[in-house]
Amino acid sequence: MLAKRAWLWLLAGVLTSACGNDNARGGGGETDGGSDGSDGDSGSDEDGSSGDGDSFEFDPAPAVLPRLTALQYRNSLEALLGEGLPVVAVEPDTNPYLFFSIGATSTTLSEFGVQMYEEAAESVSAAVFEDETRRVDLVGCTPSAPGDACVEAFIASFGRRAFRRPLSGVEQARWLGAATDLADGDPWLGVQMAVAGMLQSPYFLYRVELGEPDPDDASRLRYTSFDMASRMSFLLWNTTPDDALLDAAEAGELLDDEGLVAHAERLVEDPRARGAAQDFFAQYFDLGRLDGVTRDPSVYPLFSDTLPEAMRNEAMLLVDDFVFRRDADIRGLYSTRTTFVNDGLAALYGLEAPGATSVAFVPVELPEDGPRAGMLTFSAFLTMNAHETENSPTLRGKYVRERVLCQPVPPPPDDVDTSIPADTGEGKTLRERLEAHRENPECAACHAFIDPPGFLFENFDPVGSYRTLDNGYPIDASGDLDGEALADARGLADLLGQDSRVGQCIVTQLFRHSTGRLEEASELAALVDLDAQFEARGYRFRELLTMLVAHPSFRTVGVAQ
Amino acid sequence: MKFIGGKRLNRRTLLRGAAAGGLVSLALPPLEAMFGSRGALAKADGLPPMFGLFYWANGMPWHAGHGALQGEGAHPDLWTPSQVGPDYTPTELLAPLAPYSPSVATGLEPHTDIPPDPPGQGDGHMRGFMVATTGDRIRPRGFDHPSHTLTALRPTMDQYVAKHDAYYGSAIPRFRSLQLGVSTARFHDYGHWNAISYNGPDSLNLPVSDPAQLYNLLFDVPDDASTLERRANLLDAVIEDAADLRAKLGAADKVRLDAHLAHLDEIQRRLELAAAPCDAPLFPAQSEDLHVKTGIMADMLAVALSCDLTRVFSFMLTSPATTHVFSNLGVPDGMHKTCHDGEWERVRAITQYQMEAFAILLDRLSTTLDPTGASLLDNGLVFGTSEYGEGWQHGTKELPALLVGGACGAVNRGVHVREPDGNFSKVHVTTLRALGIDTDSYGFNGGETTEHLTGILA
């Protein structure tokens, strides 16, 4: 398997080498690593065994320090303090390489961001402690004096939940001290201040998962049992661990396969896992780009301001259907003939959808002889990869390469004319104008890689409506993928639905999302192992989640240089 | 540890002692007494001129000065005045700003070098934007396509000034700086592109672009002193937690946590300050119209400056490579694509509209008086710039630079300086020297210069 994956990446490198480096494996060394692997056959087992993961060698990267994403922060506040908290503003996430988690490990919080945390902590703690029922529920006892035994016990239990591990003696003294010194004679006020303070502590705002010596391998660290509780909870639930998981961590149950798989399965069964999976897929699909979409209603009467949200919902319902309702081969997202529409999408797709309203989505079967099959023929992809007034086969093709197949596309060379030749009234389709553009050899190398899969979608306009004419001329929607001729988007759907590269790409993206960083070249073998296990389990995403949690690449950490 | 222990406790104790001694309990109107008069006396008092960074997207309509290809359409240069020196005749695109006597530098361009690896660092948006705002290249690492992560190597001018020891000295106002934005459209969702103010790599100051949020930040300050003091004291424990954590981190994360610690220090300082002596304006309206919204944000900014809540701001009208759709001007596509499509007339109309928006901000600054009775603009300096010369080919020649305001007499107003192929960082040197910041040289990685624009610096 190592050889196979390396070969695929080498192929991608060959295809793009005319226009730049292939850095799909993060960092410059992956091509070398790949060829070493294929030459050396470094002990990978050919049958793609799924199970113990130490039949391959890899070196984990050093620890990173993710700050909670905005959603993780809000979810954690609710987990700690209960629902119905005041709405608080926090610094928006950034998503380099698609993922908020990567922004969370690389971006530095601004001063205003720290101020917003301070104000949020003040606001939510005041809301809880002004409500007598609520504060007693939270604290579990009634303090009679600042810093008394009730307060002391609460600091310990709340501290464990907020910091995702027991407080050290120094920390217990520090926060008990705050609850005492800032009480101003009112023990409740003291507890409120301690809560507000712990919610501003970097131990709450950042996921401090630094590992400990690994008894099996002195060259690396392993994540502690509490680190693992945090890692799996934020991956599978997008929120802080619950008490059961912290208890398991405290009992040391999250250091072996059995305990990790058992708890991962429990978490995946919980409704919170559905939201977390949707959050991952929304980022992997890059659906944030739907937020700014505008279209002129006089040109696109089927478009409305609420349609982008419906497009997003359609994608999320599909994910939920594939992952949680049917536990099906996730690659089917790209070939499915079942989808979910509200009234606006039904009109856009020209489908009957009884029961659909603006807010009610219903499952529909796409007609066998219709033009659509798979996510890439649904309006989210078609719209966000088009311009306001015309299609962009380049953006659509780039999405297929980069997002679906994880093949990087390098930037255009500096100082090259990147404008598309204007419509000179000679009666050309956009495709014909783009093909003329490719006569420039500087552009041709990359655009021959990007555009042919993008041309497959020319039958769909910038909001995803089906069309047969462009600029009044018949559309040629044929294209190809890596030399395989395809008649239209349905041909691509059939191909992608069974393409192992689609599965590998999802492994790569989930690895990035879950670790908050790009994979290192030294981790390639671990990804290859995950590929094999994912394939062996029928590309079911739920299986991938539990398999990743127990995988050595998710449980170990390199020693910082 | 730097952030705890004797030094900071001493500072806080000192502050409280001062408060007890009545130093900050001055009755209104205290401002003239506190600040003295500006203008000629400002420097003697150690109070620096106000400084603002104004940013608009996508440069200007292209012409032959941008390159041979750009010249093929024979489009006129609507920006560069035909005369140099004082009292130039404003061109079509400078006309909206004429009432505020802008000094303008033309012909300048980035002089930073362009490393070949990773490819793409010559991209006009990123190179021009970084040179205009920092005098340096973009950070090469993390530039990677497709992420297109735009990030600075060093602070942008607003932050460089706001954090320079020679600027505020010990008289730090409530906010070292404010970051405001108007359009919320951005080039794409990832890799930043939604801010023009940086502290350094991957450390952005996102603009506040919601008028209500700006209002709350500036004017909705709780006035219960004991609550504020408790919140300030609470941060001592937070800072101790952070200091413990710091010791366990690798180098890169230490840098991030140090920034967090510095911010905590700043927030604590702000909580310790009494509520600002400032007459809050009415709660702001909301508007999606960029001109109306510019006025709303500028109104609040002008009050904040006149009350000395801050002396430094950045004002991002539109973000780099903006996708803002100027449908009010009959432009159907986002601006970035409109540039790419070579829609010159539309780019002209949008640029004029953006200059009119700049004029709205300058109007508020010129009609609002500071405590000495001079206008904010007379005693301040606004540096207006964009990301490249023009957007069709992303050409960085003729990168625009405007210096508007008198900077307490340090800047000659209404002057046109022209230096074809000149180093853009001369604008930075001029700006910094006008603000009283000694600057031997500015510009980096090939962009270094020791020269200011002689006609503009008084």
Side-chain angles (χ1 to χ4, degrees):
Chain A
M1 273 313 295
L2 177 61
K4 189 177 173 198
R5 188 170 183 123
W7 181 83
L8 284 167
W9 287 111
L10 282 172
L11 179 61
V14 168
L15 285 167
T16 58
S17 62
C19 37
N21 295 329
D22 166 19
N23 71 342
R25 277 280 165 245
E30 68 287 343
T31 307
D32 292 342
S35 55
D36 287 353
S38 54
D39 292 339
D41 189 24
S42 59
S44 64
D45 44 18
E46 293 296 332
D47 61 3
S49 84
S50 54
D52 64 83
D54 275 317
S55 57
F56 59 92
E57 288 185 13
F58 79 106
D59 289 316
V64 291
L65 183 69
R67 190 162 54 83
L68 301 187
T69 66
L71 184 56
Q72 289 170 349
Y73 174 80
R74 291 193 188 99
N75 287 344
S76 297
L77 285 186
E78 289 203 338
L80 295 171
L81 300 175
E83 292 179 4
L85 297 170
V87 175
V88 292
V90 294
E91 183 146 296
D93 297 318
T94 64
N95 60 338
Y97 304 96
L98 292 179
F99 293 107
F100 295 144
S101 64
I102 300 184
T105 63
S106 58
T107 308
T108 299
L109 188 65
S110 76
E111 181 187 311
F112 190 37
V114 174
Q115 178 168 339
M116 286 193 279
Y117 278 145
E118 196 276 334
E119 289 169 355
E122 161 70 16
S123 164
V124 297
S125 58
V128 169
F129 282 86
E130 278 161 8
D131 179 332
E132 190 168 346
T133 311
R134 209 165 171 163
R135 71 190 184 201
V136 172
D137 280 353
L138 175 69
V139 175
C141 53
T142 300
S144 51
D148 70 3
C150 165
V151 177
E152 189 174 352
F154 172 72
I155 294 292
S157 68
F158 185 80
R160 188 181 87 143
R161 294 168 64 219
F163 292 0
R164 307 174 280 274
R165 57 164 176 81
L167 299 187
S168 70
V170 169
E171 289 164 342
Q172 171 75 19
R174 178 176 299 146
W175 292 110
L176 184 60
T180 310
D181 296 346
L182 300 176
D184 201 15
D186 174 0
W188 283 117
L189 179 60
V191 181
Q192 176 186 329
M193 294 309 291
V195 166
M198 283 189 270
L199 295 179
Q200 294 176 69
S201 170
Y203 286 111
F204 170 66
L205 298 174
Y206 295 85
R207 290 167 48 192
V208 181
E209 301 155 4
L210 300 175
E212 63 188 2
D214 185 342
D216 297 333
D217 186 342
S219 72
R220 67 188 190 192
L221 306 174
R222 69 173 180 185
Y223 287 110
T224 68
S225 197
F226 282 105
D227 289 343
M228 287 306 297
S230 171
R231 289 172 71 73
M232 65 196 287
S233 184
F234 283 109
L235 171 62
L236 300 176
W237 279 359
N238 232 358
T239 189
T240 199
D242 65 358
D243 287 333
L245 195 58
L246 291 172
D247 289 344
E250 195 141 11
E253 291 170 20
L254 305 182
L255 292 171
D256 58 54
D257 289 6
E258 194 184 351
L260 286 167
V261 169
H263 284 281
E265 283 174 352
R266 174 177 76 87
L267 266 59
V268 168
E269 287 301 318
D270 185 279
R272 279 169 280 199
R274 302 172 82 148
Q278 289 184 11
D279 193 43
F280 161 71
F281 276 96
Q283 293 170 59
Y284 152 53
F285 293 147
D286 210 3
L287 293 182
R289 286 164 56 209
L290 284 173
D291 292 347
V293 162
T294 54
R295 296 288 184 269
D296 183 344
S298 67
V299 182
Y300 303 105
L302 291 172
F303 186 83
S304 68
D305 289 346
T306 57
L307 202 62
E309 185 59 26
M311 298 174 187
R312 185 186 173 88
N313 287 338
E314 178 188 18
M316 293 298 92
L317 288 166
L318 271 170
V319 164
D320 197 60
D321 190 49
F322 267 86
V323 178
F324 293 99
R325 289 160 57 95
R326 297 198 286 119
D327 196 13
D329 182 337
I330 195 70
R331 299 173 304 170
L333 283 171
Y334 294 109
S335 59
T336 181
R337 284 191 179 272
T338 305
T339 189
F340 299 85
V341 295
N342 70 349
D343 55 2
L345 290 170
L348 190 75
Y349 295 168
L351 295 172
E352 295 291 322
T357 68
S358 61
V359 293
F361 286 71
V362 296
V364 286
E365 286 298 317
L366 296 165
E368 202 54 45
D369 56 352
R372 293 176 208 268
M375 281 272 304
L376 301 182
T377 63
F378 302 161
S379 59
F381 161 81
L382 296 166
T383 302
M384 70 188 188
N385 293 302
H387 299 297
E388 281 83 0
T389 55
E390 66 181 3
N391 277 351
S392 176
T394 299
L395 283 179
R396 288 173 177 176
K398 194 162 170 282
Y399 186 99
V400 171
R401 291 296 186 189
E402 290 181 339
R403 303 289 170 241
V404 182
L405 297 171
C406 284
Q407 295 171 329
V409 174
D414 295 334
D415 306 323
V416 69
D417 177 5
T418 53
S419 54
I420 300 168
D423 181 2
T424 53
E426 294 164 28
K428 286 183 173 176
T429 62
L430 174 63
R431 177 174 185 156
E432 286 162 337
R433 287 190 285 136
L434 274 173
E435 283 177 338
H437 181 48
R438 281 165 53 198
E439 286 165 11
N440 179 347
E442 268 197 293
C443 308
C446 283
H447 282 274
F449 179 66
I450 305 165
D451 294 349
F455 288 138
L456 296 166
F457 304 98
E458 274 298 276
N459 278 132
F460 302 100
D461 76 6
V463 298
S465 285
Y466 182 69
R467 62 177 193 172
T468 55
L469 298 177
D470 177 25
N471 200 22
Y473 290 82
I475 284 168
D476 173 8
S478 65
D480 74 85
L481 187 69
D482 304 336
E484 180 154 353
L486 296 166
D488 54 28
R490 288 173 306 181
L492 182 66
D494 291 342
L495 197 151
L496 293 177
Q498 302 176 54
D499 194 325
S500 61
R501 293 177 299 181
V502 173
Q504 291 172 3
C505 188
I506 289 172
V507 167
T508 299
Q509 300 294 23
L510 183 66
F511 186 82
R512 292 175 175 184
H513 169 71
S514 68
T515 57
R517 57 178 174 76
L518 296 184
E519 64 283 5
E520 302 273 348
S522 66
E523 294 170 308
L524 180 67
L527 289 172
V528 170
D529 184 70
L530 282 166
D531 291 344
Q533 294 193 46
F534 193 26
E535 181 182 6
R537 310 236 188 135
Y539 293 103
R540 285 174 299 147
F541 187 75
R542 280 174 64 161
E543 297 283 320
L544 179 60
L545 287 172
T546 50
M547 170 193 313
L548 176 63
V549 166
H551 197 261
S553 61
F554 193 69
R555 291 162 57 183
T556 60
V557 60
V559 179
Q561 295 305 307
Chain B
M1 188 54 54
K2 183 179 164 192
F3 295 94
I4 55 171
K7 191 178 167 192
R8 73 160 293 109
L9 284 177
N10 284 344
R11 180 178 73 73
R12 300 194 61 214
T13 309
L14 197 70
L15 272 172
R16 281 192 211 97
L23 232 170
V24 294
S25 62
L26 287 167
L28 287 174
L31 289 167
E32 288 176 45
M34 283 174 75
F35 300 137
S37 79
R38 290 216 190 157
L41 293 179
K43 282 191 177 154
D45 292 352
L47 286 172
M50 169 209 87
F51 175 63
L53 171 62
F54 177 86
Y55 184 86
W56 75 93
N58 287 318
M60 56 197 44
W62 52 96
H63 54 78
H66 292 117
L69 188 59
Q70 291 94 325
E72 282 176 9
H75 297 295
D77 177 355
L78 303 180
W79 179 260
T80 312
S82 53
Q83 312 101 319
V84 294
D87 304 321
Y88 65 84
T89 305
T91 49
E92 185 174 322
L93 288 173
L94 288 171
L97 308 175
Y100 315 103
S101 302
S103 285
V104 56
T106 64
L108 306 178
E109 61 183 55
H111 278 199
T112 51
D113 41 53
I114 306 172
D117 185 48
Q121 294 183 64
D123 172 84
H125 290 293
M126 294 187 260
R127 179 162 184 253
F129 169 67
M130 284 307 166
V131 167
T133 56
T134 72
D136 204 346
R137 318 188 291 221
I138 60 160
R139 183 187 65 179
R141 189 179 67 76
F143 165 75
D144 316 59
H145 213 71
S147 170
H148 244 95
T149 301
L150 172 68
T151 194
L153 278 169
R154 63 185 62 253
T156 46
M157 289 305 284
D158 58 315
Q159 295 306 308
Y160 183 80
V161 169
K163 290 171 184 153
H164 201 291
D165 288 343
Y167 185 73
Y168 279 129
S170 57
I172 303 164
R174 185 169 187 86
F175 300 93
R176 277 180 183 272
S177 67
L178 291 173
Q179 286 79 41
L180 311 188
V182 181
S183 167
T184 55
R186 59 194 291 190
F187 174 46
H188 56 55
D189 193 39
Y190 30 86
H192 311 161
W193 296 95
N194 55 343
I196 58 155
S197 176
Y198 283 80
N199 308 301
D202 287 319
S203 180
L204 308 82
N205 302 302
L206 292 170
V208 178
S209 53
D210 172 10
Q213 192 178 25
L214 181 64
Y215 181 91
N216 291 336
L217 177 68
L218 295 174
F219 306 115
D220 184 23
V221 179
D223 53 7
D224 174 355
S226 67
T227 299
L228 291 174
E229 187 185 352
R230 202 158 38 236
R231 285 164 65 177
N233 288 337
L234 179 62
L235 293 187
D236 284 343
V238 175
I239 288 167
E240 285 172 24
D241 262 9
D244 282 354
L245 173 59
R246 186 183 185 280
K248 301 171 190 165
L249 298 177
D253 289 326
K254 249 186 194 127
V255 171
R256 294 170 65 218
L257 195 69
D258 279 344
H260 192 139
L261 273 160
H263 297 331
L264 282 167
D265 214 39
E266 193 70 12
I267 304 309
Q268 196 173 42
R269 183 183 70 83
R270 201 172 297 153
L271 288 167
E272 286 164 347
L273 290 172
C278 202
D279 286 332
L282 291 174
F283 195 78
Q286 299 277 346
S287 175
E288 292 304 309
D289 179 286
L290 290 198
H291 279 180
V292 174
K293 192 173 172 190
T294 297
I296 291 168
M297 301 301 273
D299 280 339
M300 287 187 281
L301 173 65
V303 173
L305 290 164
S306 69
C307 294
D308 211 53
L309 291 179
T310 190
R311 264 167 258 158
V312 177
F313 68 88
S314 68
F315 199 100
M316 183 181 82
L317 176 66
T318 41
S319 61
T322 188
T323 52
H324 190 94
V325 182
F326 288 87
S327 49
N328 57 317
L329 303 175
V331 180
D333 285 300
M335 189 187 180
H336 181 246
K337 176 171 161 49
T338 301
C339 293
H340 266 297
D341 286 352
E343 301 271 6
W344 188 88
E345 171 52 30
R346 284 173 168 164
V347 172
R348 184 208 61 76
I350 294 169
T351 310
Q352 174 161 334
Y353 182 82
Q354 297 202 95
M355 289 306 112
E356 289 162 4
F358 192 7
I360 290 168
L361 169 65
L362 294 172
D363 170 71
R364 301 304 194 274
L365 300 179
S366 67
T367 56
T368 305
L369 305 184
D370 77 3
T372 72
S375 86
L376 292 170
L377 200 57
D378 288 341
N379 278 356
L381 182 66
V382 180
F383 166 34
T385 191
S386 186
E387 66 211 273
Y388 42 33
E390 57 81 35
W392 178 43
Q393 296 300 322
H394 294 26
T396 51
K397 293 187 89 64
E398 302 283 346
L399 183 55
L402 291 161
L403 291 171
V404 197
C408 305
V411 163
N412 295 324
R413 303 181 72 169
V415 175
H416 173 211
V417 171
R418 177 153 185 84
E419 290 194 22
D421 308 325
N423 184 340
F424 191 86
S425 276
K426 291 183 181 182
V427 181
H428 303 133
V429 175
T430 307
T431 298
L432 295 171
R433 288 178 183 167
L435 297 175
I437 296 172
D438 282 340
T439 304
D440 292 335
S441 169
Y442 204 80
F444 308 89
N445 284 309
E448 296 83 354
T449 181
T450 59
E451 297 175 28
H452 60 252
L453 300 162
T454 48
I456 293 180
L457 195 66

